[in-house]
Amino acid sequence: MTSKHFLPSPLLPQTLSPKHFSTPSKRLLPSLSSKPIPNNHSFWLRTNGFYSLPSPSDSSPSPAYSQDLEDQPSDTRSLQILNHKLKQLGIDITKSVAGRENRLMCPSCKGGESGELSLSLFISLDGYSASWLCFRAKCGWKGYTKAAADGKPSIENLGLVNKVKVKRQITVESLELEPLCNQLTAYFAERMISSKTLKRNAIMQKRSGDEIAIAFTYWRKGELVNCKYRDIAKRFWQEKDTEKILYGLDDIADASDIIIVEGEMDKLAMEEAGFRNCVSVPDGAPPSVSEKEVPAEEQDTKYQYLWNCKEYFKKAARIILATDGDLPGQALAEELARRLGRERCWRVKWPKKNDVGHFKDANEVLMYLGPSVLKDIIDNAELYPISGLFNFSSFFDEIDQYYHRTLGYEFGVSTGWRALDNLYNVVPGELTIVTGVPNSGKSEWIDALLCNLNEGVGWKFALCSMENKVRDHARKLLEKSIKKPFFGVGYGSNVERMSVEELEKGKKWLNDTFQLIRCENDSLPSIQWVLELARAAVLRHGVQGLVIDPYNELDHQRPVSQTETEYVSQMLTKIKRFAQHHSCHVWFVAHPRQLHHWIGAPPNLYDISGSAHFINKCDNGIVIHRNRDPEAGPVDLVQVCVRKVRNKVVGNIGDAFLSYDRYMT
């Protein structure tokens, strides 16, 4: 039936305010006035759960609080004081009902973008106290105050809110719901929702004077449980003191596949695409995912509607989360998955609308792309991600790049020594353990390797070398890069010393290539401290290699209950995760334990002091060894013993010999 109160526009009718939907109360709160209230004062009329509101001209403005209140009767005086305190907070109670919940505009959030009446206000029957709570998830403002003369408003808790325990029994007749008028049917038609779908889902309307709202009826086993209203401004409110359940609940009884959407319109859109096994949440989406653990069922108030319907999910093998594509919608999907079990959840990805955005929800896809596209989106829902659990399809792009060698360094980076090319190549993200007896040249070999990598592929490095003074380490690196001795006396007396110009050029190279990790006091650094600074060096300076030299110069405090073997295992795990996450190669120097019966042969990786985990957990294990006996062979040969290579693509077990030039390296 056409309503004369509709505008010519095909949009919704005039706004129907949620305050029209308060339930009756035996005791009503009068409009506040500084004068005695006459017997013929207009109270709100009780009519089937609705109040006929007086016009603004019928209400006297609330006065400022003054000492004249002491002359008022006690009930009136309390109301005046309470009114004054609440007005200080921006809450106007001149049209509120005592002893019942009142819905008002929240002064803190102004009802958000939709301007909904989200503030629930409760005033005690005696008028001595008031408590309030904003039900918008992005706000949540709450408080409690009394009318005591010396009291002050408190916004810290809602401890004394009277909550109705008994759920209201409602019917279509008691709510005075009506079939949809032609204008509302046309409104749904514009959103691609047919009359058949509207009728099957019992979409109705509610009148109050000249205003009409859409009524979404919530049913369970054929019984009306709740009713949610929507006006032209897309403001929502629900019947109070009713049970919270999912919209469309009877449509998922005994369903093995269940679709969950964010709004009633999306539920109707799913039906147009052929899916009746769909429900909508009643309260929209949270602003973000809670950082707290999921509370117990009886304390999970925000998602009580799920627990009230938990029996409907027992037989479900697959739950498709088709919430909105914005951040709150994705937060809702995560909160639902946390409670329903990620292992049986799936999710949809809404298609692109243009170059900068995607379609937001099911109804928008239906309106612009049609029911067949919406059906395809649901049919192609993907497994909901579980942290730490993947399938190979998530990595197919990377695997393809690896096959076509477009990732870079698939075969590693050459050390610069041809004798090592078939044995050891440097791969980003790996851990190389380097060991050897004292004075065998471990640090010298690593320094030379870094110079080669910088010269060959331009890598930069972070150096945590606690055994070297900065000036000594700079000298060693400069000599290897410039290939001239730093000094012209002693060990370099027979070779031309580097010039001042070469020194200045070398200093710039040092500064551009290396970052130093060093303690500025006498304390020993922990491995966690080193890795945090190395991470900063990766992100700030783009370093691709980290040297930690040596292990025994770190602070290795560990719990009394933890063995050294357990500690080393945990430490190496941290280093490997750092290397892999930042695609940074790590060289970790570890000395062998004291060799009482050493006869001059290279030590084994299992000889490293501390734990066998040094060889078990590393990607590459190298022993650097130098002959000390002139009768046994040349003393200037450095033996590089590659004892472990995890990745067979980049190396092999074997030995290589390098010549050490004391004057230039």
Side-chain angles (χ1 to χ4, degrees):
M1 178 177 180
T2 305
S3 171
K4 64 181 179 180
H5 303 295
F6 275 85
L7 297 176
S9 167
L11 298 177
L12 279 175
Q14 301 176 21
T15 302
L16 179 58
S17 172
K19 59 191 175 187
H20 293 183
F21 291 84
S22 301
T23 51
S25 171
K26 293 182 179 180
R27 176 164 180 161
L28 304 176
L29 178 65
S31 299
L32 301 181
S33 172
S34 59
K35 298 179 181 181
I37 301 174
N39 292 332
N40 62 352
H41 181 80
S42 297
F43 285 84
W44 297 338
L45 301 178
R46 177 177 178 178
T47 56
N48 296 318
F50 285 75
Y51 291 105
S52 175
L53 300 182
S55 65
S57 61
D58 295 334
S59 300
S60 301
S62 178
Y65 172 69
S66 68
Q67 294 298 324
D68 295 339
L69 295 179
E70 299 298 327
D71 298 328
Q72 301 291 333
S74 59
D75 281 0
T76 304
R77 183 171 67 250
S78 297
L79 288 173
Q80 295 282 12
I81 296 173
L82 195 64
N83 178 55
H84 172 71
K85 289 184 175 182
L86 292 175
K87 273 201 168 184
Q88 288 181 311
L89 298 173
I91 302 176
D92 184 4
I93 65 170
T94 54
K95 293 183 179 180
S96 297
V97 180
R100 283 294 193 185
E101 178 194 42
N102 301 274
R103 282 299 181 97
L104 308 172
M105 178 70 73
C106 175
S108 177
C109 68
K110 307 300 183 185
E113 295 181 359
S114 62
E116 62 180 311
L117 303 182
S118 58
L119 187 73
S120 174
L121 173 71
F122 181 87
I123 301 173
S124 62
L125 285 173
D126 55 17
Y128 278 93
S129 64
S131 52
W132 60 93
L133 169 65
C134 179
F135 285 104
R136 288 189 71 246
K138 293 183 179 180
C139 181
W141 183 54
K142 59 184 178 180
Y144 175 78
T145 189
K146 293 182 178 180
D150 57 348
K152 295 182 179 180
S154 167
I155 58 173
E156 295 180 357
N157 60 70
L158 193 62
L160 300 179
V161 175
N162 293 331
K163 295 185 178 180
V164 179
K165 300 297 183 182
V166 179
K167 302 299 180 183
R168 284 175 57 210
Q169 301 296 315
I170 59 174
T171 63
V172 171
E173 293 73 22
S174 68
L175 298 182
E176 297 185 338
L177 302 182
E178 304 172 348
L180 289 176
C181 62
N182 292 338
Q183 284 85 348
L184 285 182
T185 302
Y187 167 77
F188 280 104
E190 289 185 354
R191 304 185 72 90
M192 304 293 289
I193 307 298
S194 65
S195 298
K196 179 181 178 182
T197 297
L198 295 175
K199 183 176 181 180
R200 199 193 73 82
N201 287 275
I203 308 298
M204 308 185 79
Q205 68 182 39
K206 176 66 185 181
R207 291 181 180 270
S208 179
D210 292 344
E211 299 173 335
I212 303 178
I214 299 170
F216 296 101
T217 52
Y218 282 61
W219 303 82
R220 181 171 58 197
K221 298 180 180 178
E223 179 182 349
L224 185 62
V225 176
N226 193 3
C227 190
K228 184 175 176 180
Y229 304 96
R230 169 179 171 161
D231 65 14
I232 190 174
K234 202 179 177 181
R235 291 183 294 186
F236 297 91
W237 63 98
Q238 302 182 36
E239 288 291 335
K240 70 184 187 73
D241 300 339
T242 55
E243 186 178 5
K244 289 287 184 71
I245 62 171
L246 292 162
Y247 179 66
L249 187 60
D250 286 347
D251 285 340
I252 64 169
D254 299 322
S256 59
D257 283 8
I258 294 174
I259 304 170
I260 302 180
V261 292
E262 192 171 320
E264 292 83 3
M265 295 296 289
D266 297 320
K267 150 70 175 168
L268 303 178
M270 286 295 180
E271 185 159 331
E272 295 295 339
F275 299 103
R276 289 189 179 181
N277 55 325
C278 177
V279 289
S280 167
V281 300
D283 293 335
S288 59
V289 179
S290 173
E291 296 181 357
K292 300 179 181 178
E293 294 292 329
V294 175
E297 176 180 339
E298 61 276 4
Q299 298 174 338
D300 197 12
T301 54
K302 287 186 178 180
Y303 300 92
Q304 197 60 48
Y305 58 82
L306 272 185
W307 301 111
N308 292 340
C309 305
K310 62 182 180 181
E311 62 182 87
Y312 286 79
F313 291 94
K314 289 181 179 179
K315 296 181 180 180
R318 189 171 71 138
I319 301 171
I320 301 173
L321 304 179
T323 54
D324 289 4
D326 55 15
L327 291 178
Q330 297 310 297
L332 174 61
E334 175 63 16
E335 292 291 1
L336 294 174
R338 295 171 72 189
R339 290 161 174 81
L340 297 171
R342 291 183 179 87
E343 67 280 356
R344 58 175 179 162
C345 286
W346 296 60
R347 68 177 180 183
V348 301
K349 285 188 175 180
W350 302 116
K352 293 190 69 173
K353 180 187 296 185
N354 48 47
D355 292 337
V356 295
H358 291 72
F359 287 98
K360 181 174 179 287
D361 53 31
N363 188 231
E364 196 172 53
V365 171
L366 176 69
M367 291 173 62
Y368 290 95
L369 301 180
S372 61
V373 174
L374 180 56
K375 183 178 185 303
D376 288 342
I377 291 172
I378 299 302
D379 289 340
N380 291 291
E382 61 183 25
L383 288 166
Y384 195 85
I386 298 176
S387 179
L389 182 63
F390 305 93
N391 54 36
F392 271 106
S393 64
S394 302
F395 301 91
F396 280 168
D397 289 343
E398 183 180 345
I399 293 171
D400 288 341
Q401 294 175 31
Y402 186 44
Y403 175 81
H404 295 290
R405 298 184 62 183
T406 57
L407 285 173
Y409 310 128
E410 287 83 6
F411 291 171
V413 179
S414 173
T415 62
W417 296 298
R418 285 179 294 176
L420 275 173
D421 282 347
N422 293 326
L423 302 178
Y424 174 65
N425 288 274
V426 181
V427 178
E430 290 190 350
L431 168 63
T432 296
I433 297 294
V434 181
T435 190
V437 297
N439 295 318
S440 59
K442 299 183 294 296
S443 299
E444 294 280 359
W445 179 79
I446 290 178
D447 285 347
L449 173 60
L450 303 188
C451 291
N452 289 350
L453 292 173
N454 176 256
E455 181 179 351
V457 291
W459 278 19
K460 298 179 180 180
F461 308 94
L463 306 177
C464 181
S465 183
M466 282 77 71
E467 289 186 332
N468 281 309
K469 293 179 181 179
V470 172
R471 64 189 186 192
D472 287 336
H473 204 174
R475 172 182 59 78
K476 295 175 183 179
L477 290 168
L478 288 172
E479 289 176 341
K480 291 173 176 60
S481 176
I482 300 174
K483 296 180 174 56
K484 289 184 180 180
F486 192 83
F487 295 114
V489 296
Y491 71 94
S493 58
N494 298 325
V495 180
E496 180 186 0
R497 179 189 187 188
M498 69 180 67
S499 66
V500 173
E501 291 78 10
E502 290 172 327
L503 172 62
E504 291 303 318
K505 183 178 179 180
K507 284 161 58 178
K508 183 181 185 306
W509 170 77
L510 285 175
N511 202 58
D512 293 342
T513 306
F514 301 99
Q515 299 296 319
L516 301 177
I517 298 176
R518 303 185 70 87
C519 278
E520 297 179 351
N521 50 41
D522 295 333
S523 62
L524 291 176
S526 67
I527 191 62
Q528 189 63 37
W529 180 83
V530 171
L531 294 180
E532 287 175 0
L533 290 177
R535 176 179 178 273
V538 170
L539 299 178
R540 177 175 291 186
H541 303 289
V543 306
Q544 290 106 338
L546 167 66
V547 177
I548 305 175
D549 180 13
Y551 162 75
N552 64 318
E553 290 290 335
L554 295 174
D555 182 7
H556 298 298
Q557 293 186 20
R558 64 178 190 272
V560 177
S561 59
Q562 188 179 44
T563 65
E564 184 177 15
T565 297
E566 292 170 339
Y567 168 77
V568 170
S569 175
Q570 185 181 73
M571 175 191 65
L572 293 175
T573 297
K574 288 181 180 179
I575 296 174
K576 290 193 66 174
R577 286 180 179 173
F578 164 82
Q580 293 170 0
H581 183 72
H582 295 288
S583 193
C584 178
H585 196 102
V586 179
W587 292 271
F588 195 5
V589 178
H591 295 316
R593 62 178 178 268
Q594 189 173 0
L595 303 175
H596 297 288
H597 303 290
W598 182 55
I599 57 175
N604 194 286
L605 287 174
Y606 284 107
D607 292 325
I608 297 176
S609 177
S611 170
H613 281 304
F614 280 107
I615 186 173
N616 295 337
K617 291 210 166 189
C618 70
D619 297 294
N620 308 286
I622 294 177
V623 178
I624 302 297
H625 184 64
R626 187 159 54 91
N627 176 40
R628 309 294 180 84
D629 184 3
E631 296 182 359
V635 294
D636 61 347
L637 283 183
V638 176
Q639 185 177 355
V640 182
C641 310
V642 180
R643 292 292 178 259
K644 179 180 179 181
V645 177
R646 190 187 301 276
N647 185 355
K648 68 179 182 180
V649 173
V650 299
N652 292 285
I653 305 286
D655 293 355
F657 292 88
L658 305 176
S659 178
Y660 177 69
D661 190 329
R662 187 168 183 267
Y663 304 114
M664 293 190 295
T665 57

